[in-house]
Amino acid sequence: MATNHVLLDGRTGEGGGQLVRVACGLAALTCQHVTIQHVRGKREGGRGGGLKAQHVASLTWLAKVTDAQVQGLTVGSKTLSFQPRRSPAELGPRNFDIEAGTDAASALLILQAILPFVLFAGNTENEPIVLNIYGGTNVHWSPSYEYVDQVLMPVLEERFGIRVRRELKSRGWSLGPPSRGHVALVVQPVPRGEPLRFAPWPKHTCSSPHQVCRIDISIMVPRSAHALVQAELLASLGKMYHGVETQFKLVEDSGHDARWSILLVGHSQDGIRWGRDALFSMPKPAKLKSTREEFVQLACAQLCRALHKETTQAGTADEFLQDQLVALQVLAEGYSTVSRGGPTMDEEDVLVEKLERLEVRNGAEMRKEKTNEPFGNGSTHTTTARWVASELLPGAAFYHGGEIVKGVGFSV
């Protein structure tokens, strides 16, 4: 039964769907009543404010499994009240189908919203939970399935011990003709009574721990453009990453000129991953301001530069990964570090050791961050996720620009 009421202003920080997903995901997990006013209040205009189909789909599922009392759970709603009444320990069924509502509603953002609850819904038999999520897999303002498969999920397993088997059954695009995607997942929950635990990043095995040693490339574009895209990516990457191995992990026909999706994943010798992807349509001839070849060349070069910017920041996570790990950091036991740049991994290890020895002094480098508003280093999505997480789990503590987190050690 919910015992605490958290009131959030949906215009705070990034003011979009991330705030809703983190708040309701943690509220469902911890059985807290949360009310969000001005939902997605910074998404007025072209993208529209209020709840979207993917929010309604994920929250409807969470409301059902928690027997929540809800108000405002409709597309376009600007105020949402979510009051769960059952904990994840009470979840009985192990197999679920979740419909996103529209082709443009991201199946992967639905997963992001419900994953904390699912992770702690283990039973005494330690049975996995099977999720079939129907919705978009290549959608604007959302990670692609390939990003989740190649970047997010491996990091969840390596750093938090989270095991999720996944399969792309069909691809769903927000561009071109209507199409419905299907992602099948098998999630192994955390054992009853156990918290998540963070495994530190590997110690350096080379002089430059963030040096890229391999780049994986996934291409989902019209078949007629495969050779051109491959050539342009190799040319651009070759200028920025001299002598670095490149692998084409996926080359797939998107089936329509409105559907172009490319993912680049850089790997360091020490197991760090950085991902950067692009989703776009080829402009129609009347609107194309250059040749088709020049447009592809520009798009590929921009994507390669974006990856290069990530890999040269000397961080342990890219911009999109960092914000998705915040909720897990606050739930985990003990200290965890996820950085987009700044100190090296060795320096972060020293800072964590200082914290563990309680060597935190007022005004010192390791002061505890204030959490009354979005804070710390990183994107507005990351700083907002920290603020929301601290509102739901005030026992968590943040240090060093929010990149070092002492979690609450949550378990059921």
Side-chain angles (χ1 to χ4, degrees):
M1 179 70 69
T3 58
N4 188 36
H5 187 192
V6 178
L7 180 63
L8 301 175
D9 186 334
R11 299 169 297 186
T12 307
E14 61 91 20
Q18 174 79 338
L19 187 155
V20 177
R21 287 187 293 274
V22 174
C24 293
L26 291 178
L29 177 62
T30 58
C31 275
Q32 295 185 74
H33 181 190
V34 63
T35 297
I36 305 174
Q37 298 174 332
H38 309 289
V39 171
R40 297 182 64 250
K42 289 187 177 178
R43 296 296 185 268
E44 303 289 354
R47 292 172 63 185
L51 293 175
K52 300 191 77 172
Q54 50 103 343
H55 307 121
V56 172
S58 57
L59 299 183
T60 297
W61 186 84
L62 286 172
K64 181 178 180 180
V65 297
T66 62
D67 189 29
Q69 294 180 331
V70 296
Q71 293 179 341
L73 186 51
T74 57
V75 173
S77 175
K78 304 293 180 68
T79 301
L80 172 70
S81 174
F82 182 83
Q83 187 173 4
R85 297 185 293 183
R86 284 204 299 255
S87 80
E90 299 175 72
L91 183 69
R94 300 282 103 183
N95 200 315
F96 299 93
D97 290 352
I98 304 174
E99 297 274 356
T102 69
D103 296 333
S106 170
L108 289 317
L109 291 182
I110 290 174
L111 174 64
Q112 184 186 97
I114 69 174
L115 185 60
F117 182 91
V118 173
L119 286 175
F120 287 93
N123 59 16
T124 54
E125 291 77 26
N126 203 29
E127 295 176 303
I129 294 176
V130 178
L131 300 171
N132 286 283
I133 306 179
Y134 299 88
T137 60
N138 297 77
V139 175
H140 281 306
W141 315 110
S142 166
S144 65
Y145 173 82
E146 280 65 37
Y147 179 90
V148 170
D149 179 51
Q150 298 178 37
V151 180
L152 176 61
M153 289 302 175
V155 171
L156 293 188
E157 182 165 3
E158 293 164 2
R159 302 278 73 80
F160 294 94
I162 295 170
R163 291 181 290 130
V164 181
R165 299 201 308 273
R166 61 267 181 198
E167 181 181 358
L168 178 65
K169 296 288 189 178
S170 61
R171 196 175 295 283
W173 297 82
S174 61
L175 302 172
S179 61
R180 187 177 76 153
H182 175 195
V183 179
L185 306 114
V186 181
V187 182
Q188 185 61 54
V190 179
R192 284 279 184 92
E194 293 288 325
L196 286 172
R197 293 184 175 88
F198 178 81
W201 303 94
K203 294 291 185 180
H204 302 174
T205 58
C206 62
S207 58
S208 180
H210 299 89
Q211 182 177 348
V212 175
C213 65
R214 188 181 88 243
I215 298 174
D216 290 338
I217 305 170
S218 297
I219 298 172
M220 294 135 281
V221 303
R223 187 181 302 278
S224 61
H226 282 178
L228 175 61
V229 171
Q230 291 179 67
E232 292 297 343
L233 288 173
L234 290 177
S236 292
L237 291 172
K239 296 174 183 177
M240 302 174 194
Y241 299 97
H242 302 289
V244 172
E245 177 189 0
T246 54
Q247 294 184 1
F248 286 96
K249 197 171 183 70
L250 174 68
V251 179
E252 179 180 301
D253 180 12
S254 68
H256 198 280
D257 217 28
R259 297 170 173 169
W260 296 63
S261 181
I262 306 170
L263 171 70
L264 304 178
V265 180
H267 296 259
S268 82
Q269 190 168 332
D270 292 279
I272 301 171
R273 293 174 177 82
W274 304 271
R276 204 73 190 194
D277 55 4
L279 176 68
F280 57 93
S281 294
M282 176 63 66
K284 294 182 179 180
K287 295 184 178 181
L288 192 60
K289 297 180 180 180
S290 61
T291 67
R292 184 182 179 90
E293 290 73 18
E294 289 171 336
F295 180 86
V296 171
Q297 182 182 47
L298 178 62
C300 291
Q302 288 178 337
L303 180 59
C304 293
R305 285 195 295 269
L307 177 68
H308 190 258
K309 182 179 179 180
E310 287 286 0
T311 60
T312 54
Q313 291 198 67
T316 53
D318 63 53
E319 175 184 356
F320 307 108
L321 179 62
Q322 187 182 35
D323 75 75
Q324 295 180 70
L325 298 182
V326 170
L328 300 178
Q329 287 184 273
V330 299
L331 291 169
E333 180 180 73
Y335 293 94
S336 61
T337 64
V338 178
S339 170
R340 282 203 66 216
T344 66
M345 287 184 288
D346 280 345
E347 289 170 337
E348 286 184 342
D349 289 342
V350 171
L351 297 178
V352 169
E353 289 174 5
K354 287 183 178 180
L355 284 168
E356 290 173 340
R357 294 198 304 269
L358 302 179
E359 294 183 2
V360 182
R361 299 180 176 88
N362 291 334
E365 180 184 18
M366 295 306 299
R367 71 180 184 277
K368 187 176 178 180
E369 299 289 343
K370 295 180 180 179
T371 62
N372 57 309
E373 61 183 5
F375 63 93
N377 304 327
S379 68
T380 55
H381 280 74
T382 297
T383 61
T384 304
R386 291 191 190 114
W387 169 69
V388 174
S390 66
E391 291 291 301
L392 272 295
L393 292 167
F398 297 82
Y399 303 89
H400 202 67
E403 294 183 340
I404 296 177
V405 182
K406 183 179 182 182
V408 300
F410 181 85
S411 64
V412 295

